[in-house]
Amino acid sequence: MRIRPFSQADTETVVEIWERCGLVRPWNDPRKDIARKAEVQPELFLVGELAVAGAPRIVATAMAGYDGHRGWVNYLAVDPGAQRQGLAREMMTEVERLLLARGCPKVNLQVREGNAAALGLYVALGYTMDASVSLGKRLVVDGPGPGAPAA
C-alpha cells in the first residue's frame, strides 16, 4: 500500500469509506471535519492507496494530530472490501512514525463503546486501556444529534 497525505480531490472517496465503515454520525459532518483538518496539521491526514486494475484506489484513511503533549488518531478506516490484509496496521505504523518524528511521547485514541473489532485491532497493535474517562463538549454542532439545540 502507498501511504500519502490527503488531498482535497480525495474528499468524496474518503467520506464514502467512512460511511461504509460506520464512522459518520449526523452531528459530525465529515466534509466539515475534513475542512477543519485542512487548517490544522494537514500533513497528518493520510490516505492509503492500492493498485486496482492498474489504477491507484484509496482504501484506507487516518487523521492524526499532536498537541505537544499527546498524539491523537481519528478516522482510522479501511474500506470493508480491503479489510483483514494488515492495512490498518500499516496506517497506524505510519501515523506513529510521523508522531514520533515530532517528539510525541504517547498516542491516545477513542473507540466507540461496543466496537469490539476496533478494540481488538488496537490491542493487537499494542494499545492498552487507560484508566480514564473520556469527556466531551460540542462547541459546534454540524447537524442533528447529541448537543443539538431543541427544535
Side-chain angles (χ1 to χ4, degrees):
M1 178 171 60
R2 176 179 172 251
I3 300 174
R4 64 168 174 80
F6 168 87
S7 128
Q8 287 301 320
D10 302 329
T11 298
E12 293 311 311
T13 302
V14 166
V15 170
E16 289 169 10
I17 290 171
W18 292 351
E19 288 172 344
R20 284 194 292 273
C21 290
L23 298 180
V24 176
R25 297 293 186 263
W27 55 91
N28 271 95
D29 181 326
R31 288 165 189 83
K32 288 181 180 177
D33 282 350
I34 288 170
R36 291 176 186 122
K37 185 60 183 167
E39 299 296 320
V40 181
Q41 299 176 328
E43 69 280 6
L44 294 179
F45 185 9
L46 306 175
V47 296
E49 298 176 325
L50 287 178
V52 177
R57 182 176 73 107
I58 296 172
V59 296
T61 71
M63 186 185 284
Y66 178 49
D67 61 16
H69 178 64
R70 294 285 183 255
W72 287 89
V73 180
N74 296 288
Y75 286 117
L76 174 67
V78 175
D79 195 304
Q83 290 178 0
R84 315 236 24 111
Q85 298 179 46
L87 304 180
R89 177 181 295 273
E90 285 185 54
M91 293 298 289
M92 286 300 292
T93 297
E94 181 62 5
V95 164
E96 291 171 3
R97 186 190 71 74
L98 291 171
L99 291 172
L100 188 59
R102 289 174 173 255
C104 178
K106 183 180 182 214
V107 178
N108 286 7
L109 52 87
Q110 296 175 318
V111 176
R112 286 195 180 103
E113 209 170 4
N115 191 343
L119 284 174
L121 166 71
Y122 290 119
V123 167
L125 295 177
Y127 286 76
T128 59
M129 290 202 193
D130 287 340
S132 60
V133 175
S134 178
L135 301 175
K137 178 180 180 181
R138 200 137 229 348
L139 300 178
V140 175
V141 178
D142 293 339

